[in-house]
Amino acid sequence: MAATVRRQRPRRLACWALMAVLLADLLALSDTLAVMSVDLGSESMKVAIVKPGVPMEIVLNKESRRKTPVTVTLKENERFFGDSAASMAIKNPKATLRYFQHLLGKQEGNPHVALYRARFPEHELGFDPQRQTVHFQISPQLQFSPEEVLGMVLNYSRSLAEDFAEQPIKDAVITVPAFFNQAERRAVLQAARMAGLKVLQLINDNTATALSYGVFRRKDINTTAQNVMFYDMGSGSTVCTIVTYQTVKTKEAGMQPQLQIRGVGFDRTLGGLEMELRLREHLARLFNRQRKGQGAKDVRENPRAMAKLLREANRLKTVLSANADHMAQIEGLMDDVDFKAKVTRAEFEELCADLFERVPGPVQQALQSAEMNLDEVEQVILVGGATRVPKVQEVLLKAVGKEELGKNINADEAAAMGAVYQAAALSKAFKVKPFVVRDAVIYPILVEFTREVEEEPGVRSLKHNKRVLFSRMGPYPQRKVITFNRYNHDFNFHINYGDLGFLGPEDLRVFGSQNLTTVKLKGVGESFKKYPDYESKGIKAHFNLDESGVLSLIRVESVFETLVEDSPEEESTLTKLGNTISSLFGGGTTPDTKENGTDTVQEEEESPAEGSKDEPGEQAELKEEAEAPVEDTSPPPPTEPKEAAVPEEEKATEKENEEKPEAQKPVVYRALVTRSGF
């Protein structure tokens, strides 16, 4: 009996150990049961969550409000966020930071840095010589970069979401303006990493708004394309987007609704903030005029007074949207002197007359990029708080020529709701109805390289070549491969932005450098010396433009091949071993499906590039120098992008193999050389 008991003890211990492991797995899984989205506006942010039992809910902050000011007050030993920080702006304007997103990814000489200094002279901006950017100099001991300040805000938004969800949250989708370039997007990702957030995707705010609109009107979407224009004027900028809705056939789930971004136009500085600054300047002039002759100082020299005036200007702009006039009043504006003045809507519209003239600009840009006219757009929908200004609606209605403007969407929360739906779709903890999202590249990206050519015997010259990787308004995410055929030694190539002629001179200055990076390849000559008897198939560079719109160079490799006769009677041990390993890992067992990696590279060389366009006058030479960029994997659906890409590629490979007669298909062995220096 004792022996029996002793034999059962290990079993009981094993059962308890197994239960402990399962319990640990459940606890680990519970950390991912809630996901969040952050709609990061210039003035305020909206946070939304999805968790079991709480589908797509806006998070209430500590003051039970649905939106939170993007404001941070930094002191020596404490920090304030949201409404608490906004109330501190009057007492300590120098330490209260607002609208710092306008400085993300900007070098010190950028016009937006000078504009920020002019708008907020109370802030001292220092220069970071290592990064060539600016930072906020709060005190001699305290200095923070815009990315660090944004990281604090994102961490605060995470704490709000966790308190609301009553569980830890680490996965998030963050909205960014559609016009953000690579530097600005990477700055947001860096801030999210500092906040400890795992970013599932950076989604353009216009795309998130379009997704929210489509999700709640899924039944109205059919095979007939519907073009909808979203005009989004927020606090800091304006974006106009043309979106096409229709149902498409997908391999995974049959007919599903899809939104495709067709055209985008924007104005980086047209928004509610600029209107408020005009009102603040008007109120400052009125106050100085009231105190003229009393030897008083200019109110503009008092940061606290200017902070009070900006807050009153914000309130005045909102009130004048519904009233013809209103009385602006501030108690104890400066030197214990009260301020009171009547401001009419006509005066406000006169102050912002040049701003209202810029309202139709993004509409024309969006139509031009979409290659459409206004007759093809069925509806124009207003988004963003600044679209509530009557004059904006009046000018926009005249510009689009419609009977009325659509107001059937929550102008403040649409982007947050669309982003949290995308977060649930990307999360492994939730299953949502598929909605295909095809976003568009705003800024084209190309590869530039130079090589020596011999046009005449003994006469050599340098020829500059360009190849477009991702064309303007082409879809993403997607991967591209470009092959360099004429190099057998170390060389360099440049990754640059393409033609930015659609931007004005001022926008180009704000945009910054058009060079993304320079790639220096080393080890190319060594690889050719290592395989002198093999035929070179070129140097292949693999690029990826991911779901967040961030470009990365995945790898660069030298590809060599040699042909050997396939004799079934003399099959080598190495070949048998290779076939065995291939079958173990899901490879085909027939000769037609062997060497999947080789066939994939071959298809990359031969398949056409979706959405790529050659630069004018360069097409013939580029085909001679480098093959067209080709799509590495098809753009995945938003639900499970990574898992869906592989089977499609394998199916395409198998289909290609089946089409080739077996007698004409030699077995190809390739040596792929990938070096860390590439």
Side-chain angles (χ1 to χ4, degrees):
M1 189 68 169
T4 304
V5 173
R6 281 197 296 268
R7 285 196 299 270
Q8 288 180 351
R9 281 177 184 171
R11 294 179 182 175
R12 290 178 179 175
L13 292 174
C15 291
W16 281 111
L18 179 59
M19 291 179 64
V21 170
L22 292 175
L23 182 60
D25 290 341
L26 289 174
L27 291 175
L29 181 62
S30 68
D31 292 342
T32 63
L33 284 181
V35 293
M36 62 179 288
S37 72
V38 184
D39 178 22
L40 201 62
S42 296
E43 182 181 33
S44 61
M45 66 178 177
K46 277 72 65 178
V47 181
I49 65 164
V50 169
K51 76 169 187 176
V54 184
M56 297 176 62
E57 179 66 26
I58 295 291
V59 171
L60 301 181
N61 60 19
K62 296 177 181 179
E63 290 76 19
S64 298
R65 296 180 181 176
R66 298 173 71 86
K67 65 179 181 179
T68 304
V70 182
T71 308
V72 184
T73 299
L74 301 172
K75 291 187 175 182
E76 293 294 337
N77 299 319
E78 54 185 347
R79 301 173 183 174
F80 298 91
F81 298 93
D83 291 290
S84 300
S87 63
M88 295 287 292
I90 307 299
K91 300 177 182 178
N92 196 347
K94 181 179 180 181
T96 303
L97 308 179
R98 295 174 291 177
Y99 301 101
F100 46 82
Q101 303 97 308
H102 299 172
L103 301 177
L104 292 173
K106 305 290 193 307
Q107 293 191 343
E108 202 271 340
N110 195 290
H112 266 204
V113 176
L115 180 63
Y116 191 90
R117 285 193 172 107
R119 286 175 167 179
F120 307 102
E122 66 270 19
H123 296 314
E124 182 181 349
L125 296 180
F127 175 64
D128 186 344
Q130 183 176 359
R131 302 178 65 221
Q132 299 294 310
T133 56
V134 295
H135 57 252
F136 291 100
Q137 192 77 39
I138 308 299
S139 68
Q141 294 77 28
L142 285 181
Q143 56 185 32
F144 299 97
S145 67
E147 291 80 8
E148 289 175 315
V149 180
L150 179 58
M152 299 176 196
V153 172
L154 291 176
N155 188 54
Y156 177 68
S157 70
R158 177 184 181 179
S159 67
L160 292 177
E162 289 180 341
D163 292 343
F164 193 81
E166 298 179 341
Q167 61 177 285
I169 299 178
K170 63 178 180 179
D171 296 341
V173 169
I174 303 174
T175 69
V176 295
F179 51 77
F180 263 23
N181 58 24
Q182 294 292 311
E184 292 166 313
R185 291 175 187 271
R186 290 183 181 276
V188 176
L189 290 175
Q190 182 184 6
R193 282 193 296 270
M194 288 188 283
L197 284 174
K198 177 185 176 184
V199 179
L200 300 177
Q201 181 181 347
L202 291 182
I203 186 171
N204 294 336
D205 47 15
N206 59 342
T207 305
T209 301
L211 178 58
S212 176
Y213 181 84
V215 165
F216 289 103
R217 291 161 180 79
R218 178 185 293 266
K219 295 181 180 179
D220 299 333
I221 302 175
N222 50 45
T223 54
T224 303
Q226 306 172 36
N227 300 321
V228 179
M229 175 182 290
F230 295 91
Y231 192 88
D232 182 1
M233 180 182 288
S235 176
S237 59
T238 299
V239 178
C240 181
T241 311
I242 299 176
V243 183
T244 298
Y245 294 96
Q246 67 181 129
T247 55
V248 296
K249 188 174 182 180
T250 62
K251 294 181 180 179
E252 295 79 14
M255 297 297 292
Q256 296 296 335
Q258 171 188 276
L259 72 86
Q260 181 176 1
I261 305 298
R262 298 289 303 277
V264 177
F266 58 87
D267 190 326
R268 280 179 176 260
T269 58
L270 177 61
L273 172 62
E274 186 62 32
M275 299 178 192
E276 294 165 16
L277 292 172
R278 301 284 180 92
L279 271 176
R280 183 180 71 169
E281 181 66 22
H282 177 65
L283 297 178
R285 286 198 299 266
L286 291 178
F287 182 73
N288 286 336
R289 192 179 305 162
Q290 290 178 6
R291 304 190 65 198
K292 188 176 181 181
Q294 301 178 15
K297 295 181 180 179
D298 190 341
V299 69
R300 300 181 187 90
E301 299 176 3
N302 190 313
R304 290 187 179 183
M306 293 301 286
K308 292 179 182 179
L309 286 174
L310 184 60
R311 184 175 64 179
E312 182 63 15
N314 181 289
R315 189 185 70 87
L316 194 60
K317 183 197 70 174
T318 304
V319 174
L320 288 177
S321 297
N323 298 274
D325 56 68
H326 188 67
M327 189 68 68
Q329 49 188 354
I330 303 173
E331 185 177 350
L333 176 57
M334 189 175 70
D335 298 335
D336 295 326
V337 177
D338 298 339
F339 171 63
K340 190 174 183 180
K342 183 179 179 180
V343 181
T344 65
R345 183 189 292 180
E347 290 176 332
F348 169 62
E349 292 177 353
E350 184 180 354
L351 291 171
C352 304
D354 60 321
L355 299 180
F356 297 136
E357 291 176 358
R358 290 158 55 183
V359 168
V363 175
Q364 300 302 325
Q365 293 179 25
L367 291 171
Q368 185 177 3
S369 60
E371 298 180 350
M372 287 185 181
N373 55 56
L374 284 169
D375 295 335
E376 300 176 66
V377 177
E378 298 180 9
Q379 193 176 12
V380 179
I381 298 177
L382 297 178
V383 187
T387 56
R388 296 187 177 97
V389 176
K391 190 64 175 180
V392 171
Q393 297 182 17
E394 178 187 335
V395 175
L396 180 61
L397 187 62
K398 183 178 179 181
V400 298
K402 303 293 182 182
E403 293 183 2
E404 61 179 357
L405 300 173
K407 301 176 184 178
N408 51 347
I409 193 172
N410 191 320
D412 291 322
E413 299 177 359
M417 298 300 283
V420 80
Y421 187 90
Q422 184 73 348
L426 295 175
S427 173
K428 297 179 180 178
F430 299 94
K431 184 175 179 63
V432 300
K433 292 183 179 180
F435 203 110
V436 184
V437 178
R438 291 175 64 84
D439 214 324
V441 177
I442 305 297
Y443 308 115
I445 298 174
L446 53 81
V447 171
E448 298 188 35
F449 50 93
T450 304
R451 69 176 180 88
E452 283 190 350
V453 294
E454 188 173 357
E455 299 177 352
E456 299 178 5
V459 180
R460 304 186 67 85
S461 61
L462 294 177
K463 184 168 183 62
H464 189 71
N465 299 278
K466 297 180 180 179
R467 173 63 69 187
V468 174
L469 279 176
F470 303 98
S471 59
R472 174 163 161 78
M473 302 314 299
Y476 76 86
Q478 62 175 315
R479 297 183 179 183
K480 293 291 183 68
V481 181
I482 184 170
T483 303
F484 302 93
N485 289 323
R486 301 294 182 88
Y487 289 98
N488 55 9
H489 53 81
D490 297 353
F491 67 100
N492 304 337
F493 63 87
H494 308 279
I495 305 174
N496 299 330
Y497 289 105
D499 182 16
L500 300 179
F502 59 93
L503 297 178
E506 186 63 24
D507 287 332
L508 280 174
R509 292 181 59 210
V510 172
F511 188 85
S513 173
Q514 296 190 29
N515 173 250
L516 283 168
T517 187
T518 298
V519 180
K520 299 181 179 180
L521 297 183
K522 297 181 180 179
V524 178
E526 297 177 8
S527 65
F528 276 82
K529 293 178 182 178
K530 189 174 181 180
Y531 300 97
D533 299 329
Y534 288 69
E535 180 184 357
S536 171
K537 303 303 292 184
I539 314 297
K540 292 184 178 292
H542 298 253
F543 297 89
N544 180 36
L545 193 65
D546 63 15
E547 295 86 352
S548 299
V550 177
L551 176 70
S552 59
L553 175 60
I554 304 173
R555 68 183 185 276
V556 183
E557 58 191 9
S558 281
V559 182
F560 301 88
E561 76 172 13
T562 185
L563 298 179
V564 294
E565 295 182 0
D566 183 13
S567 175
E569 299 177 357
E570 300 179 0
E571 189 175 19
S572 65
T573 304
L574 182 61
T575 304
K576 292 179 181 178
L577 180 61
N579 292 338
T580 304
I581 295 175
S582 177
S583 62
L584 286 174
F585 286 91
T589 57
T590 63
D592 288 344
T593 57
K594 287 191 291 186
E595 302 295 340
N596 286 331
T598 298
D599 291 334
T600 302
V601 174
Q602 181 67 26
E603 287 204 25
E604 287 175 352
E605 292 180 17
E606 295 178 353
S607 61
E610 180 183 352
S612 65
K613 299 178 182 179
D614 297 331
E615 292 290 327
E618 292 286 347
Q619 184 173 359
E621 290 296 334
L622 288 178
K623 286 186 177 180
E624 179 182 322
E625 170 62 30
E627 298 179 10
V630 298
E631 193 170 344
D632 198 6
T633 56
S634 58
T639 50
E640 294 178 351
K642 296 183 180 178
E643 297 177 5
V646 177
E648 293 176 6
E649 184 177 356
E650 291 178 356
K651 290 178 182 178
T653 303
E654 292 175 3
K655 184 177 180 181
E656 179 71 17
N657 291 336
E658 290 172 1
E659 293 176 355
K660 295 183 179 180
E662 185 175 354
Q664 299 179 8
K665 184 176 180 296
V667 177
V668 179
Y669 296 86
R670 293 190 177 184
L672 302 183
V673 182
T674 306
R675 297 190 175 270
S676 58
F678 276 21

